[in-house]
Amino acid sequence: MKIVVCVKQVPATTEVSIDPETKRLIREGVSIEMNPFDTYALEQGILLREKHGGEVIVLSMGPARAELTIRESIACGADRGVLLNGRPLGGSDTYATSYILSQGIKKIGDVDLVICGKQAVDGDTAQVGPGMAAHLGWPQVTYVSRFVESGPLELKLERMHENGSDISLVKLPAVLTVLKDVNIPRIPTLKGRLNSRKVDITIWDEKDLETDPEKIGLGGSPTRVVSTRKPDARDKHTIVLNGSASNSARELVQILKSRIEL
Amino acid sequence: MNSNYNMFHVEVLPPRQDAEDLEVRLDRFATRYKRVLDAGYCACITDNAMGNMSFQGTEIIEEYDLPVKPDNVMIHLNTFHSKKDLDNILNTCIVQGIKYLLIVSGDGNVRFPKLRPSDLDIQGVSSVTAVELLQYINREYAGAFILGVAFNPYEPEEEEVEKMTRKIDAGAEFVITQPLIDKNPVVDRLIINIDIPVMVEAWMSKKLHLLSDCVGYEIPEDTEYDPMGTLANLQSEYPSGGVYLAMMNYKRQFNLLADLSFIGGRQTVR
């Protein structure tokens, strides 16, 4: 089974700022990490490979430093990684990004399954996975919470929605987005981390991908962010409860009850 | 009394997973670890301390082929692991000859899995704490380890003592306190009331204010603090057990430890 796992490097903090000119996230000078939801996608890819054989290829689009996230994925157990990197790709919205990633998947070739986290914690759109499926013309299953059965040609999956869950059958190739319920991601080992530093990462730019220049970057992005604002700060205040632990606990319950009633 | 308890227990922090200069930090870990063992102290290797994703002591020992003296190595083990990783760590400890484990609940992180009661086949509790981890290890790895636990004298005493009773019932054989900066009446009462050895922890960083969260009140950043003086004082106040040294400075403080030593459970100043 040839599995592509899409990963994104995101700010490792909720204190992100937005450039007032471009309306884009300021990523410079902010510590980074792998999008937490993508760790579940990666783990699922590795579990499927352990069951069916094949390989797990990590695919990411981003600046050169996104290579670190790819290496982290390899440290966890992915076989190799591809970074889509080029100045014309910058500023892509979810439509353009999913197009570019789908071009990457086509170039990798003979892919059976693409797995993504349900969304990235910086943009919070949950659009790129479904967008890739649309560009590839493949079926998609979003919000996968459990792999019921997996075979080389078809998957049986549980997917969550507002009213509960469905069991879906999907033929491969397909695109999935997964929830945190799906597995417990492994932590990179020291051996894996040291090996990952020696692996060559494939880097493709817009020319390697044979992208349509009209569909990439800011110019190829139909979305325009016209204004942004920070949410209002929540009203916070501290109440100190003196007295014994049992009395304080009783008092706290009363306070919480009164808040719920309000 | 077990010889391990009457020695300096020196904390050695494994490098964080996101360290850019990883090889340098791994070399530094290996050097410090060997210095601690060569000096006859116990190297205590933390487990993702403060919720920072770090490498496991067992994997660095394996990778660097570091020596293990069973009485001189202690591994911290917390509840933020998958069951598979937990068993892997415990089995590696057995293979490497590590027998002392400090069992703590630990600090979480969004990337860490948390052990569930069902993982450990334990019923009647909603989450896994140090107590359940002790029960599991004593059940599945009976006799393989000597298990210790933490004691926090800054939490309400009644609850901490009750927790300690459950920890001892679950198989705890020694205790290490949270950092003390002076004689502590809560610890004094604990020592009187339990039958297992208690080691006190000495805070060896000059930055005493970093302890604010631990002690539960604000320590001003400019507070003057003498770690070596505190260590000598704690040895004098608690002569019957070893001392755990947190945040040890290996350049300046380590060599001074030779002047403070334990002999036969009694502290002497040379």
Side-chain angles (χ1 to χ4, degrees), chain A residues 34 36 39-40 72 76 184-191 193-194 197 245, chain B residues 17 19-20 22-23 26 53 55 59-60 63 82 111-113 116 159:
Chain A
M34 189 191 302
T39 61
Y40 299 88
E72 184 180 345
C76 284
I184 299 173
R186 66 195 73 190
I187 303 288
T189 60
L190 175 59
K191 217 174 269 299
R193 186 73 76 169
L194 292 173
R197 293 158 88 91
Chain B
Q17 288 251 359
E20 284 182 18
L22 179 58
E23 279 83 358
L26 286 166
M53 195 157 78
F55 294 103
E59 52 184 348
I60 308 177
E63 188 67 32
S82 66
R111 285 292 306 275
F112 296 154
R116 299 163 297 192
E159 280 83 357

PDB file of all heavy atoms in Angstrom, chain A residues 34 36 39-40 72 76 184-191 193-194 197 245, chain B residues 17 19-20 22-23 26 53 55 59-60 63 82 111-113 116 159:
ATOM      1  N   MET A  34       4.676  20.149  14.454  1.00  0.00           N
ATOM      2  CA  MET A  34       3.789  19.499  13.505  1.00  0.00           C
ATOM      3  C   MET A  34       2.345  19.746  13.959  1.00  0.00           C
ATOM      4  O   MET A  34       2.062  19.682  15.158  1.00  0.00           O
ATOM      5  CB  MET A  34       4.063  17.990  13.463  1.00  0.00           C
ATOM      6  CG  MET A  34       3.312  17.294  12.342  1.00  0.00           C
ATOM      7  SD  MET A  34       3.347  15.467  12.425  1.00  0.00           S
ATOM      8  CE  MET A  34       5.074  15.122  12.402  1.00  0.00           C
ATOM      9  N   PRO A  36      -0.870  19.200  15.383  1.00  0.00           N
ATOM     10  CA  PRO A  36      -1.184  18.042  16.246  1.00  0.00           C
ATOM     11  C   PRO A  36      -2.111  17.024  15.590  1.00  0.00           C
ATOM     12  O   PRO A  36      -1.930  15.811  15.767  1.00  0.00           O
ATOM     13  CB  PRO A  36      -1.849  18.678  17.459  1.00  0.00           C
ATOM     14  CG  PRO A  36      -1.286  20.059  17.516  1.00  0.00           C
ATOM     15  CD  PRO A  36      -1.080  20.480  16.084  1.00  0.00           C
ATOM     16  N   THR A  39      -0.436  14.297  13.497  1.00  0.00           N
ATOM     17  CA  THR A  39       0.264  13.174  14.133  1.00  0.00           C
ATOM     18  C   THR A  39      -0.608  11.911  14.111  1.00  0.00           C
ATOM     19  O   THR A  39      -0.102  10.798  14.035  1.00  0.00           O
ATOM     20  CB  THR A  39       0.653  13.503  15.590  1.00  0.00           C
ATOM     21  OG1 THR A  39      -0.517  13.766  16.357  1.00  0.00           O
ATOM     22  CG2 THR A  39       1.568  14.720  15.654  1.00  0.00           C
ATOM     23  N   TYR A  40      -1.931  12.114  14.156  1.00  0.00           N
ATOM     24  CA  TYR A  40      -2.849  10.960  14.097  1.00  0.00           C
ATOM     25  C   TYR A  40      -2.888  10.381  12.684  1.00  0.00           C
ATOM     26  O   TYR A  40      -2.974   9.167  12.497  1.00  0.00           O
ATOM     27  CB  TYR A  40      -4.254  11.366  14.556  1.00  0.00           C
ATOM     28  CG  TYR A  40      -4.258  11.861  15.979  1.00  0.00           C
ATOM     29  CD1 TYR A  40      -4.013  13.204  16.278  1.00  0.00           C
ATOM     30  CD2 TYR A  40      -4.463  10.987  17.038  1.00  0.00           C
ATOM     31  CE1 TYR A  40      -3.971  13.660  17.587  1.00  0.00           C
ATOM     32  CE2 TYR A  40      -4.430  11.427  18.350  1.00  0.00           C
ATOM     33  CZ  TYR A  40      -4.184  12.769  18.619  1.00  0.00           C
ATOM     34  OH  TYR A  40      -4.130  13.214  19.912  1.00  0.00           O
ATOM     35  N   GLU A  72      10.767  14.895  11.353  1.00  0.00           N
ATOM     36  CA  GLU A  72      10.123  14.379  12.573  1.00  0.00           C
ATOM     37  C   GLU A  72       9.205  13.200  12.213  1.00  0.00           C
ATOM     38  O   GLU A  72       9.134  12.200  12.942  1.00  0.00           O
ATOM     39  CB  GLU A  72       9.322  15.489  13.263  1.00  0.00           C
ATOM     40  CG  GLU A  72       8.720  15.024  14.578  1.00  0.00           C
ATOM     41  CD  GLU A  72       7.920  16.093  15.295  1.00  0.00           C
ATOM     42  OE1 GLU A  72       8.050  17.278  14.942  1.00  0.00           O
ATOM     43  OE2 GLU A  72       7.155  15.717  16.204  1.00  0.00           O
ATOM     44  N   CYS A  76       9.384   9.232  13.343  1.00  0.00           N
ATOM     45  CA  CYS A  76       8.282   8.434  13.897  1.00  0.00           C
ATOM     46  C   CYS A  76       8.109   7.118  13.153  1.00  0.00           C
ATOM     47  O   CYS A  76       7.512   6.179  13.690  1.00  0.00           O
ATOM     48  CB  CYS A  76       6.973   9.214  13.812  1.00  0.00           C
ATOM     49  SG  CYS A  76       6.827  10.498  15.045  1.00  0.00           S
ATOM     50  N   ILE A 184      -3.441   6.259  18.900  1.00  0.00           N
ATOM     51  CA  ILE A 184      -2.552   6.981  19.832  1.00  0.00           C
ATOM     52  C   ILE A 184      -1.212   7.157  19.123  1.00  0.00           C
ATOM     53  O   ILE A 184      -0.487   6.176  18.912  1.00  0.00           O
ATOM     54  CB  ILE A 184      -2.355   6.203  21.150  1.00  0.00           C
ATOM     55  CG1 ILE A 184      -3.706   6.012  21.846  1.00  0.00           C
ATOM     56  CG2 ILE A 184      -1.374   6.923  22.062  1.00  0.00           C
ATOM     57  CD1 ILE A 184      -3.653   5.124  23.062  1.00  0.00           C
ATOM     58  N   PRO A 185      -0.888   8.384  18.718  1.00  0.00           N
ATOM     59  CA  PRO A 185       0.357   8.566  17.951  1.00  0.00           C
ATOM     60  C   PRO A 185       1.597   8.195  18.758  1.00  0.00           C
ATOM     61  O   PRO A 185       1.650   8.447  19.960  1.00  0.00           O
ATOM     62  CB  PRO A 185       0.372  10.068  17.640  1.00  0.00           C
ATOM     63  CG  PRO A 185      -1.019  10.530  17.817  1.00  0.00           C
ATOM     64  CD  PRO A 185      -1.612   9.646  18.878  1.00  0.00           C
ATOM     65  N   ARG A 186       2.552   7.607  18.081  1.00  0.00           N
ATOM     66  CA  ARG A 186       3.795   7.246  18.761  1.00  0.00           C
ATOM     67  C   ARG A 186       4.708   8.463  18.862  1.00  0.00           C
ATOM     68  O   ARG A 186       4.602   9.402  18.064  1.00  0.00           O
ATOM     69  CB  ARG A 186       4.489   6.088  18.047  1.00  0.00           C
ATOM     70  CG  ARG A 186       4.998   6.391  16.665  1.00  0.00           C
ATOM     71  CD  ARG A 186       5.337   5.130  15.902  1.00  0.00           C
ATOM     72  NE  ARG A 186       4.136   4.410  15.492  1.00  0.00           N
ATOM     73  CZ  ARG A 186       4.147   3.181  14.971  1.00  0.00           C
ATOM     74  NH1 ARG A 186       5.285   2.532  14.796  1.00  0.00           N
ATOM     75  NH2 ARG A 186       3.020   2.586  14.609  1.00  0.00           N
ATOM     76  N   ILE A 187       5.604   8.418  19.818  1.00  0.00           N
ATOM     77  CA  ILE A 187       6.593   9.475  20.019  1.00  0.00           C
ATOM     78  C   ILE A 187       7.856   9.051  19.274  1.00  0.00           C
ATOM     79  O   ILE A 187       8.219   7.876  19.314  1.00  0.00           O
ATOM     80  CB  ILE A 187       6.913   9.624  21.527  1.00  0.00           C
ATOM     81  CG1 ILE A 187       5.640   9.911  22.333  1.00  0.00           C
ATOM     82  CG2 ILE A 187       7.971  10.682  21.776  1.00  0.00           C
ATOM     83  CD1 ILE A 187       5.061  11.266  22.160  1.00  0.00           C
ATOM     84  N   PRO A 188       8.539   9.972  18.593  1.00  0.00           N
ATOM     85  CA  PRO A 188       9.769   9.567  17.892  1.00  0.00           C
ATOM     86  C   PRO A 188      10.793   8.969  18.860  1.00  0.00           C
ATOM     87  O   PRO A 188      10.927   9.432  19.987  1.00  0.00           O
ATOM     88  CB  PRO A 188      10.306  10.889  17.320  1.00  0.00           C
ATOM     89  CG  PRO A 188       9.162  11.826  17.319  1.00  0.00           C
ATOM     90  CD  PRO A 188       8.258  11.410  18.433  1.00  0.00           C
ATOM     91  N   THR A 189      11.476   7.941  18.398  1.00  0.00           N
ATOM     92  CA  THR A 189      12.541   7.352  19.215  1.00  0.00           C
ATOM     93  C   THR A 189      13.853   8.065  18.919  1.00  0.00           C
ATOM     94  O   THR A 189      13.991   8.751  17.898  1.00  0.00           O
ATOM     95  CB  THR A 189      12.720   5.859  18.878  1.00  0.00           C
ATOM     96  OG1 THR A 189      13.074   5.773  17.482  1.00  0.00           O
ATOM     97  CG2 THR A 189      11.436   5.088  19.133  1.00  0.00           C
ATOM     98  N   LEU A 190      14.809   7.875  19.802  1.00  0.00           N
ATOM     99  CA  LEU A 190      16.134   8.485  19.571  1.00  0.00           C
ATOM    100  C   LEU A 190      16.760   7.920  18.305  1.00  0.00           C
ATOM    101  O   LEU A 190      17.305   8.657  17.478  1.00  0.00           O
ATOM    102  CB  LEU A 190      17.033   8.216  20.788  1.00  0.00           C
ATOM    103  CG  LEU A 190      18.477   8.686  20.648  1.00  0.00           C
ATOM    104  CD1 LEU A 190      18.550  10.189  20.402  1.00  0.00           C
ATOM    105  CD2 LEU A 190      19.275   8.325  21.896  1.00  0.00           C
ATOM    106  N   LYS A 191      16.653   6.610  18.147  1.00  0.00           N
ATOM    107  CA  LYS A 191      17.215   5.973  16.943  1.00  0.00           C
ATOM    108  C   LYS A 191      16.555   6.559  15.693  1.00  0.00           C
ATOM    109  O   LYS A 191      17.233   6.908  14.727  1.00  0.00           O
ATOM    110  CB  LYS A 191      16.957   4.458  17.007  1.00  0.00           C
ATOM    111  CG  LYS A 191      18.078   3.617  16.465  1.00  0.00           C
ATOM    112  CD  LYS A 191      17.815   2.142  16.705  1.00  0.00           C
ATOM    113  CE  LYS A 191      18.365   1.630  18.001  1.00  0.00           C
ATOM    114  NZ  LYS A 191      19.801   1.734  18.176  1.00  0.00           N
ATOM    115  N   ARG A 193      15.068   9.436  15.405  1.00  0.00           N
ATOM    116  CA  ARG A 193      15.444  10.846  15.256  1.00  0.00           C
ATOM    117  C   ARG A 193      16.839  10.962  14.626  1.00  0.00           C
ATOM    118  O   ARG A 193      17.059  11.776  13.734  1.00  0.00           O
ATOM    119  CB  ARG A 193      15.413  11.495  16.633  1.00  0.00           C
ATOM    120  CG  ARG A 193      15.648  12.983  16.646  1.00  0.00           C
ATOM    121  CD  ARG A 193      14.498  13.781  16.118  1.00  0.00           C
ATOM    122  NE  ARG A 193      13.399  13.867  17.052  1.00  0.00           N
ATOM    123  CZ  ARG A 193      12.367  14.689  16.889  1.00  0.00           C
ATOM    124  NH1 ARG A 193      12.286  15.481  15.843  1.00  0.00           N
ATOM    125  NH2 ARG A 193      11.387  14.711  17.750  1.00  0.00           N
ATOM    126  N   LEU A 194      17.762  10.141  15.093  1.00  0.00           N
ATOM    127  CA  LEU A 194      19.130  10.219  14.547  1.00  0.00           C
ATOM    128  C   LEU A 194      19.136   9.770  13.082  1.00  0.00           C
ATOM    129  O   LEU A 194      19.799  10.384  12.245  1.00  0.00           O
ATOM    130  CB  LEU A 194      20.082   9.357  15.387  1.00  0.00           C
ATOM    131  CG  LEU A 194      20.323   9.884  16.823  1.00  0.00           C
ATOM    132  CD1 LEU A 194      21.145   8.886  17.628  1.00  0.00           C
ATOM    133  CD2 LEU A 194      21.010  11.240  16.815  1.00  0.00           C
ATOM    134  N   ARG A 197      17.863  12.347  10.483  1.00  0.00           N
ATOM    135  CA  ARG A 197      18.742  13.470  10.130  1.00  0.00           C
ATOM    136  C   ARG A 197      19.605  13.149   8.920  1.00  0.00           C
ATOM    137  O   ARG A 197      20.185  14.041   8.308  1.00  0.00           O
ATOM    138  CB  ARG A 197      19.621  13.817  11.334  1.00  0.00           C
ATOM    139  CG  ARG A 197      18.818  14.375  12.491  1.00  0.00           C
ATOM    140  CD  ARG A 197      19.547  14.222  13.791  1.00  0.00           C
ATOM    141  NE  ARG A 197      20.427  15.332  14.079  1.00  0.00           N
ATOM    142  CZ  ARG A 197      20.074  16.408  14.769  1.00  0.00           C
ATOM    143  NH1 ARG A 197      18.865  16.518  15.213  1.00  0.00           N
ATOM    144  NH2 ARG A 197      20.931  17.374  15.001  1.00  0.00           N
ATOM    145  N   ALA A 245     -10.834  22.172  53.045  1.00  0.00           N
ATOM    146  CA  ALA A 245     -10.962  21.667  51.667  1.00  0.00           C
ATOM    147  C   ALA A 245     -12.404  21.304  51.362  1.00  0.00           C
ATOM    148  O   ALA A 245     -12.930  21.629  50.290  1.00  0.00           O
ATOM    149  CB  ALA A 245     -10.053  20.454  51.493  1.00  0.00           C
TER     150      ALA A 245
ATOM    151  N   GLN B  17      13.441  16.563  22.590  1.00  0.00           N
ATOM    152  CA  GLN B  17      13.307  16.048  21.221  1.00  0.00           C
ATOM    153  C   GLN B  17      13.550  17.133  20.178  1.00  0.00           C
ATOM    154  O   GLN B  17      13.993  16.849  19.078  1.00  0.00           O
ATOM    155  CB  GLN B  17      11.900  15.475  21.032  1.00  0.00           C
ATOM    156  CG  GLN B  17      11.667  14.170  21.756  1.00  0.00           C
ATOM    157  CD  GLN B  17      11.564  12.988  20.821  1.00  0.00           C
ATOM    158  OE1 GLN B  17      11.651  13.149  19.615  1.00  0.00           O
ATOM    159  NE2 GLN B  17      11.394  11.816  21.360  1.00  0.00           N
ATOM    160  N   ALA B  19      15.662  19.587  20.293  1.00  0.00           N
ATOM    161  CA  ALA B  19      16.981  20.232  20.396  1.00  0.00           C
ATOM    162  C   ALA B  19      17.644  20.304  19.022  1.00  0.00           C
ATOM    163  O   ALA B  19      17.729  19.288  18.327  1.00  0.00           O
ATOM    164  CB  ALA B  19      17.856  19.454  21.366  1.00  0.00           C
ATOM    165  N   GLU B  20      18.076  21.485  18.635  1.00  0.00           N
ATOM    166  CA  GLU B  20      18.717  21.618  17.320  1.00  0.00           C
ATOM    167  C   GLU B  20      20.126  21.023  17.352  1.00  0.00           C
ATOM    168  O   GLU B  20      20.582  20.436  16.377  1.00  0.00           O
ATOM    169  CB  GLU B  20      18.748  23.089  16.904  1.00  0.00           C
ATOM    170  CG  GLU B  20      17.376  23.551  16.446  1.00  0.00           C
ATOM    171  CD  GLU B  20      17.359  24.988  15.971  1.00  0.00           C
ATOM    172  OE1 GLU B  20      18.423  25.542  15.671  1.00  0.00           O
ATOM    173  OE2 GLU B  20      16.242  25.546  15.926  1.00  0.00           O
ATOM    174  N   LEU B  22      21.339  18.420  18.787  1.00  0.00           N
ATOM    175  CA  LEU B  22      21.020  17.171  19.496  1.00  0.00           C
ATOM    176  C   LEU B  22      22.276  16.379  19.866  1.00  0.00           C
ATOM    177  O   LEU B  22      22.407  15.912  20.998  1.00  0.00           O
ATOM    178  CB  LEU B  22      20.074  16.322  18.636  1.00  0.00           C
ATOM    179  CG  LEU B  22      19.662  14.984  19.235  1.00  0.00           C
ATOM    180  CD1 LEU B  22      18.974  15.174  20.583  1.00  0.00           C
ATOM    181  CD2 LEU B  22      18.736  14.236  18.284  1.00  0.00           C
ATOM    182  N   GLU B  23      23.204  16.226  18.900  1.00  0.00           N
ATOM    183  CA  GLU B  23      24.384  15.409  19.184  1.00  0.00           C
ATOM    184  C   GLU B  23      25.191  15.994  20.349  1.00  0.00           C
ATOM    185  O   GLU B  23      25.678  15.267  21.217  1.00  0.00           O
ATOM    186  CB  GLU B  23      25.284  15.276  17.946  1.00  0.00           C
ATOM    187  CG  GLU B  23      24.826  14.212  16.955  1.00  0.00           C
ATOM    188  CD  GLU B  23      23.734  14.703  16.004  1.00  0.00           C
ATOM    189  OE1 GLU B  23      23.308  15.874  16.144  1.00  0.00           O
ATOM    190  OE2 GLU B  23      23.296  13.915  15.141  1.00  0.00           O
ATOM    191  N   LEU B  26      23.332  15.212  23.522  1.00  0.00           N
ATOM    192  CA  LEU B  26      23.440  13.795  23.878  1.00  0.00           C
ATOM    193  C   LEU B  26      24.812  13.494  24.478  1.00  0.00           C
ATOM    194  O   LEU B  26      24.922  12.764  25.470  1.00  0.00           O
ATOM    195  CB  LEU B  26      23.207  12.931  22.634  1.00  0.00           C
ATOM    196  CG  LEU B  26      21.757  12.837  22.160  1.00  0.00           C
ATOM    197  CD1 LEU B  26      21.696  12.242  20.746  1.00  0.00           C
ATOM    198  CD2 LEU B  26      20.912  11.995  23.108  1.00  0.00           C
ATOM    199  N   MET B  53       8.888  17.285  25.732  1.00  0.00           N
ATOM    200  CA  MET B  53       9.097  16.005  25.055  1.00  0.00           C
ATOM    201  C   MET B  53      10.604  15.752  24.908  1.00  0.00           C
ATOM    202  O   MET B  53      11.283  16.466  24.174  1.00  0.00           O
ATOM    203  CB  MET B  53       8.403  16.002  23.691  1.00  0.00           C
ATOM    204  CG  MET B  53       8.282  14.619  23.113  1.00  0.00           C
ATOM    205  SD  MET B  53       6.962  14.507  21.908  1.00  0.00           S
ATOM    206  CE  MET B  53       7.719  15.257  20.502  1.00  0.00           C
ATOM    207  N   PHE B  55      13.999  12.635  25.199  1.00  0.00           N
ATOM    208  CA  PHE B  55      14.296  11.222  24.956  1.00  0.00           C
ATOM    209  C   PHE B  55      14.297  10.465  26.281  1.00  0.00           C
ATOM    210  O   PHE B  55      14.522  11.032  27.341  1.00  0.00           O
ATOM    211  CB  PHE B  55      15.639  11.084  24.243  1.00  0.00           C
ATOM    212  CG  PHE B  55      15.607  11.664  22.870  1.00  0.00           C
ATOM    213  CD1 PHE B  55      16.183  12.889  22.598  1.00  0.00           C
ATOM    214  CD2 PHE B  55      14.940  11.009  21.853  1.00  0.00           C
ATOM    215  CE1 PHE B  55      16.108  13.449  21.338  1.00  0.00           C
ATOM    216  CE2 PHE B  55      14.857  11.558  20.582  1.00  0.00           C
ATOM    217  CZ  PHE B  55      15.445  12.784  20.327  1.00  0.00           C
ATOM    218  N   GLU B  59      16.829   4.747  26.197  1.00  0.00           N
ATOM    219  CA  GLU B  59      17.275   4.718  24.796  1.00  0.00           C
ATOM    220  C   GLU B  59      18.627   5.398  24.628  1.00  0.00           C
ATOM    221  O   GLU B  59      19.411   5.022  23.754  1.00  0.00           O
ATOM    222  CB  GLU B  59      16.214   5.263  23.826  1.00  0.00           C
ATOM    223  CG  GLU B  59      15.647   6.600  24.133  1.00  0.00           C
ATOM    224  CD  GLU B  59      14.529   7.009  23.159  1.00  0.00           C
ATOM    225  OE1 GLU B  59      14.330   6.373  22.119  1.00  0.00           O
ATOM    226  OE2 GLU B  59      13.854   8.018  23.469  1.00  0.00           O
ATOM    227  N   ILE B  60      18.937   6.390  25.466  1.00  0.00           N
ATOM    228  CA  ILE B  60      20.268   7.017  25.369  1.00  0.00           C
ATOM    229  C   ILE B  60      21.324   6.059  25.914  1.00  0.00           C
ATOM    230  O   ILE B  60      22.417   5.934  25.347  1.00  0.00           O
ATOM    231  CB  ILE B  60      20.312   8.360  26.135  1.00  0.00           C
ATOM    232  CG1 ILE B  60      19.160   9.263  25.698  1.00  0.00           C
ATOM    233  CG2 ILE B  60      21.646   9.069  25.877  1.00  0.00           C
ATOM    234  CD1 ILE B  60      19.084  10.583  26.441  1.00  0.00           C
ATOM    235  N   GLU B  63      21.833   3.636  23.080  1.00  0.00           N
ATOM    236  CA  GLU B  63      22.485   4.226  21.910  1.00  0.00           C
ATOM    237  C   GLU B  63      23.964   4.513  22.182  1.00  0.00           C
ATOM    238  O   GLU B  63      24.820   4.321  21.331  1.00  0.00           O
ATOM    239  CB  GLU B  63      21.746   5.519  21.531  1.00  0.00           C
ATOM    240  CG  GLU B  63      22.191   6.159  20.225  1.00  0.00           C
ATOM    241  CD  GLU B  63      21.863   5.320  19.006  1.00  0.00           C
ATOM    242  OE1 GLU B  63      20.837   4.616  19.032  1.00  0.00           O
ATOM    243  OE2 GLU B  63      22.650   5.367  18.028  1.00  0.00           O
ATOM    244  N   SER B  82       2.132   5.499  26.085  1.00  0.00           N
ATOM    245  CA  SER B  82       1.216   4.462  25.610  1.00  0.00           C
ATOM    246  C   SER B  82       1.595   3.187  26.357  1.00  0.00           C
ATOM    247  O   SER B  82       2.694   3.063  26.893  1.00  0.00           O
ATOM    248  CB  SER B  82       1.360   4.274  24.096  1.00  0.00           C
ATOM    249  OG  SER B  82       2.643   3.766  23.805  1.00  0.00           O
ATOM    250  N   ARG B 111       1.183  16.256  22.921  1.00  0.00           N
ATOM    251  CA  ARG B 111       1.708  15.146  22.122  1.00  0.00           C
ATOM    252  C   ARG B 111       1.801  13.831  22.898  1.00  0.00           C
ATOM    253  O   ARG B 111       2.041  12.778  22.308  1.00  0.00           O
ATOM    254  CB  ARG B 111       3.109  15.499  21.588  1.00  0.00           C
ATOM    255  CG  ARG B 111       3.136  16.494  20.442  1.00  0.00           C
ATOM    256  CD  ARG B 111       2.541  15.930  19.161  1.00  0.00           C
ATOM    257  NE  ARG B 111       3.140  14.680  18.728  1.00  0.00           N
ATOM    258  CZ  ARG B 111       4.233  14.590  18.004  1.00  0.00           C
ATOM    259  NH1 ARG B 111       4.875  15.663  17.632  1.00  0.00           N
ATOM    260  NH2 ARG B 111       4.705  13.423  17.624  1.00  0.00           N
ATOM    261  N   PHE B 112       1.676  13.899  24.225  1.00  0.00           N
ATOM    262  CA  PHE B 112       1.874  12.664  24.983  1.00  0.00           C
ATOM    263  C   PHE B 112       0.576  11.871  25.098  1.00  0.00           C
ATOM    264  O   PHE B 112      -0.462  12.430  25.436  1.00  0.00           O
ATOM    265  CB  PHE B 112       2.331  12.959  26.414  1.00  0.00           C
ATOM    266  CG  PHE B 112       3.671  13.616  26.511  1.00  0.00           C
ATOM    267  CD1 PHE B 112       3.985  14.403  27.607  1.00  0.00           C
ATOM    268  CD2 PHE B 112       4.621  13.464  25.525  1.00  0.00           C
ATOM    269  CE1 PHE B 112       5.211  15.016  27.708  1.00  0.00           C
ATOM    270  CE2 PHE B 112       5.850  14.079  25.617  1.00  0.00           C
ATOM    271  CZ  PHE B 112       6.148  14.856  26.710  1.00  0.00           C
ATOM    272  N   PRO B 113       0.652  10.570  24.880  1.00  0.00           N
ATOM    273  CA  PRO B 113      -0.505   9.733  25.227  1.00  0.00           C
ATOM    274  C   PRO B 113      -0.589   9.626  26.746  1.00  0.00           C
ATOM    275  O   PRO B 113       0.404   9.862  27.445  1.00  0.00           O
ATOM    276  CB  PRO B 113      -0.152   8.385  24.611  1.00  0.00           C
ATOM    277  CG  PRO B 113       1.326   8.375  24.474  1.00  0.00           C
ATOM    278  CD  PRO B 113       1.787   9.804  24.360  1.00  0.00           C
ATOM    279  N   ARG B 116      -4.443   4.738  30.207  1.00  0.00           N
ATOM    280  CA  ARG B 116      -5.839   4.640  30.661  1.00  0.00           C
ATOM    281  C   ARG B 116      -5.963   3.439  31.597  1.00  0.00           C
ATOM    282  O   ARG B 116      -5.208   2.466  31.456  1.00  0.00           O
ATOM    283  CB  ARG B 116      -6.755   4.430  29.444  1.00  0.00           C
ATOM    284  CG  ARG B 116      -6.703   5.574  28.439  1.00  0.00           C
ATOM    285  CD  ARG B 116      -7.258   5.174  27.106  1.00  0.00           C
ATOM    286  NE  ARG B 116      -6.471   4.098  26.496  1.00  0.00           N
ATOM    287  CZ  ARG B 116      -6.591   3.706  25.239  1.00  0.00           C
ATOM    288  NH1 ARG B 116      -7.460   4.288  24.445  1.00  0.00           N
ATOM    289  NH2 ARG B 116      -5.853   2.718  24.765  1.00  0.00           N
ATOM    290  N   GLU B 159      -4.417  15.264  52.537  1.00  0.00           N
ATOM    291  CA  GLU B 159      -4.581  14.577  51.251  1.00  0.00           C
ATOM    292  C   GLU B 159      -3.280  13.889  50.813  1.00  0.00           C
ATOM    293  O   GLU B 159      -3.299  12.768  50.303  1.00  0.00           O
ATOM    294  CB  GLU B 159      -5.022  15.558  50.150  1.00  0.00           C
ATOM    295  CG  GLU B 159      -6.493  15.891  50.149  1.00  0.00           C
ATOM    296  CD  GLU B 159      -6.860  16.995  51.136  1.00  0.00           C
ATOM    297  OE1 GLU B 159      -5.963  17.468  51.874  1.00  0.00           O
ATOM    298  OE2 GLU B 159      -8.035  17.382  51.206  1.00  0.00           O
TER     299      GLU B 159
END
